[in-house]
């Protein structure tokens, strides 16, 4: 029972007793508080010292910059004063190499060499020799300028020739395109004219064929009507009265035969019309082949002859 009671005891106080950071028994709380207070005071004092040192350093840097700027101004002023003194009291003409009694003597003196044709140049001066080319620099410069002008002239001539050649090529190309376009237009016009002429000839021949067929049909119909009238007259006459029944049967057979004959004639006319149209188309293809050029006189004569009379195959 005791062991179970001890095992069921709460773990909170034991953990606080055994943990040295949370344990309050056996320690001096007031001493700890004083130590913490002293440490804070020490940190604040150290921080104040650092801030003071920083302010002093910034002040010293500002003073150093001002002193450096003042030194630079003083040095510049000293150099300006020195330069002004030299320009005022130490001129070149006041030096030892000048004559103090005549400071402008060197300026008034004649130079050692002015030109090769100078009268003062003596033989002993060795200023001019026999056969010496003294204008070599000017001559070379003139030659270079002349060569440059010749080169520029050649370039201009070459560019002008190239421009003329390009212009001629462009003109030739435009003219060739215009000729090609004109030839295409003429060929198209020729094809349209030939097509229109063939269409007109075809329509005329077709109308002629239809007229011929219609005329033949009228003639056959007229002939058949005449035959029927003749047959009816014979049948209604007194010569064939005893055989009336046979004649009626024969009349029926005759009508059937005529109807069948009409159908055959109609089919034959259609076939003949198709054969005539195909023959006419073959004649047109032989008379006007696509590869041959179009000629106005021959086409007009052929069209007039074909329109005057159609000749079937």
């Amino acid at each position: 029972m005791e062991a179970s009671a001890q095992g069921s005891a709460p773990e909170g106080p034991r953990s606080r007793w055994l943990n040295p950071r949370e344990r309050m028994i056996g320690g001096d709380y007031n001493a700890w508080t004083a130590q913490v207070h002293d440490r804070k005071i020490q940190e604040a004092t150290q921080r104040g010292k650092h801030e003071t040192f920083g302010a002093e350093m910034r002040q010293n840097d500002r003073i150093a910059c001002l002193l450096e700027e003042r030194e630079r101004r003083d040095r510049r002023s000293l150099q300006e004063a020195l330069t002004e003194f030299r320009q005022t009291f130490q001129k070149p003409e006041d030096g030892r190499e000048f004559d103090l009694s005549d400071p402008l003597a060197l300026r008034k003196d004649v130079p050692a060499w002015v030109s090769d044709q100078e009268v003062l140049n003596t033989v002993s001066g060795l200023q001019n020799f026999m056969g010496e080319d003294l204008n070599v620099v000017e001559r070379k410069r003139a030659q270079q300028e002349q060569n440059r002008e010749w080169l520029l002239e050649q370039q201009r001539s070459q560019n002008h020739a190239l421009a003329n050649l390009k212009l001629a090529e462009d003109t030739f190309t435009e003219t060739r395109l215009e000729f090609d376009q004109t030839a295409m237009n003429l060929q198209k016009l020729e094809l349209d004219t030939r097509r229109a002429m063939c269409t007109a000839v075809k329509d005329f021949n077709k109308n002629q064929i239809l007229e011929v067929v219609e005329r033949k049909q009228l003639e056959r119909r007229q002939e058949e009507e005449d035959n029927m009238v003749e047959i009816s007259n014979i049948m209604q006459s007194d010569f064939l009265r005893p055989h009336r029944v046979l004649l009626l049967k024969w009349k029926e057979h005759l009508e059937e035969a005529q109807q069948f004959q009409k159908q055959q004639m109609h089919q034959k006319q259609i076939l003949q019309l198709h054969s005539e149209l195909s023959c006419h188309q073959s004649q047109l293809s032989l008379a006007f082949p696509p590869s041959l050029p179009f000629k106005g006189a021959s086409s007009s004569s052929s069209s007039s002859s074909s329109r005057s009379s159609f000749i079937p195959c």
Side-chain angles (χ1 to χ4, degrees), residues 114-313:
V114 178
S115 64
D116 295 329
Q117 287 77 22
E118 184 66 26
V119 180
L120 298 177
N121 293 334
T122 59
V123 178
S124 61
L126 300 178
Q127 297 293 327
N128 193 359
F129 299 95
M130 185 66 68
E132 184 180 3
D133 190 3
L134 300 176
N135 298 325
V136 61
V137 179
E138 289 78 6
R139 190 180 70 256
K140 287 185 177 180
R141 187 182 297 109
Q143 288 178 356
Q144 292 176 359
E145 186 69 21
Q146 188 176 9
N147 291 331
R148 189 176 69 84
E149 291 295 333
W150 287 350
L151 182 60
L152 292 176
E153 184 65 27
Q154 290 177 0
Q155 290 179 356
R156 286 194 293 267
S157 301
Q158 187 177 4
N159 294 331
H160 185 66
L162 291 175
N164 292 334
L165 180 60
K166 187 176 184 302
L167 179 61
E169 290 179 354
D170 294 341
T171 306
F172 176 74
T173 303
E174 293 178 358
T175 307
R176 186 177 60 185
L177 292 176
E178 290 178 359
F179 286 165
D180 293 342
Q181 187 66 29
T182 305
M184 290 174 63
N185 294 332
L186 291 176
Q187 186 177 4
K188 184 178 179 181
L189 181 62
E190 179 182 354
L191 292 176
D192 293 340
T193 306
R194 185 182 299 173
R195 192 179 294 110
M197 185 185 67
C198 292
T199 303
V201 172
K202 182 179 178 181
D203 294 338
F204 178 77
N205 291 333
K206 186 177 180 180
N207 293 329
Q208 291 289 330
I209 292 170
L210 293 176
E211 289 179 1
V212 171
V213 171
E214 186 177 0
R215 187 170 60 253
K216 289 182 179 180
Q217 288 179 358
L218 290 174
E219 291 177 356
R220 290 192 185 94
R221 193 178 297 111
Q222 186 66 32
E223 185 178 358
E224 290 175 0
E225 289 179 358
D226 294 340
N227 293 332
M228 292 296 294
V229 170
E230 185 178 358
I231 291 170
S232 62
N233 291 332
I234 292 173
M235 291 177 64
Q236 291 177 4
S237 63
D238 295 335
F239 181 72
L240 297 177
R241 190 173 299 277
H243 306 281
R244 178 73 65 176
V245 178
L246 294 175
L247 289 175
L248 291 174
K249 292 181 179 180
W250 180 79
K251 183 178 180 181
E252 292 177 359
H253 288 295
L254 182 61
E255 289 177 355
E256 292 178 358
Q258 288 179 354
Q259 187 69 23
F260 181 74
Q261 186 178 7
K262 287 181 180 180
Q263 292 179 359
Q264 287 184 349
M265 291 174 61
H266 184 64
Q267 293 179 358
K268 185 176 180 181
Q269 290 175 359
I270 292 174
L271 293 175
Q272 185 178 4
L273 179 61
H274 283 294
S275 64
E276 289 175 353
L277 288 176
S278 62
C279 182
H280 179 59
Q281 289 179 358
S282 63
Q283 287 181 356
L284 287 177
S285 63
L286 291 174
F288 302 102
S291 61
L292 292 177
F294 176 74
K295 296 181 179 180
S298 60
S299 62
S300 61
S301 61
S302 60
S303 62
S304 62
S305 62
S306 61
R307 290 180 182 177
S308 61
S309 61
F310 174 73
I311 301 175
C313 296

Side-chain angles (χ1 to χ4, degrees), residues 19-186:
N19 191 0
R21 293 185 178 181
E22 297 181 359
R23 184 173 59 194
M24 302 298 294
I25 300 173
D28 191 356
Y29 181 74
N30 295 327
W32 291 347
T33 305
Q35 289 178 2
V36 171
H37 183 66
D38 293 341
R39 183 177 296 175
K40 290 182 179 179
I41 291 172
Q42 186 179 0
E43 291 178 354
T45 305
Q46 192 71 19
R47 191 182 303 109
K49 288 181 179 180
H50 286 309
E51 291 178 357
T52 304
F53 289 157
E56 290 179 358
M57 289 176 66
R58 289 193 294 273
Q59 183 68 21
N60 292 332
D61 291 341
R62 191 179 298 107
I63 293 172
C65 291
L66 293 175
L67 292 175
E68 185 177 358
E69 182 67 24
R70 182 183 299 175
E71 183 181 1
R72 188 182 299 111
R73 288 199 303 269
D74 294 343
R75 189 182 298 112
R76 183 174 181 180
S77 300
L78 180 61
Q79 292 294 335
E80 290 179 355
L82 182 60
T83 303
E84 185 178 359
F85 176 79
R86 287 176 178 174
Q87 291 179 355
T88 306
F89 301 102
Q90 294 181 355
K91 295 181 180 180
E93 56 268 18
D94 295 337
R96 290 184 177 180
E97 61 271 13
F98 285 86
D99 189 359
L100 296 179
S101 59
D102 190 5
L104 300 178
L106 294 177
R107 293 185 179 180
K108 297 177 181 178
D109 193 7
V110 178
W113 181 86
V114 178
S115 64
D116 295 329
Q117 287 77 22
E118 184 66 26
V119 180
L120 298 177
N121 293 334
T122 59
V123 178
S124 61
L126 300 178
Q127 297 293 327
N128 193 359
F129 299 95
M130 185 66 68
E132 184 180 3
D133 190 3
L134 300 176
N135 298 325
V136 61
V137 179
E138 289 78 6
R139 190 180 70 256
K140 287 185 177 180
R141 187 182 297 109
Q143 288 178 356
Q144 292 176 359
E145 186 69 21
Q146 188 176 9
N147 291 331
R148 189 176 69 84
E149 291 295 333
W150 287 350
L151 182 60
L152 292 176
E153 184 65 27
Q154 290 177 0
Q155 290 179 356
R156 286 194 293 267
S157 301
Q158 187 177 4
N159 294 331
H160 185 66
L162 291 175
N164 292 334
L165 180 60
K166 187 176 184 302
L167 179 61
E169 290 179 354
D170 294 341
T171 306
F172 176 74
T173 303
E174 293 178 358
T175 307
R176 186 177 60 185
L177 292 176
E178 290 178 359
F179 286 165
D180 293 342
Q181 187 66 29
T182 305
M184 290 174 63
N185 294 332
L186 291 176

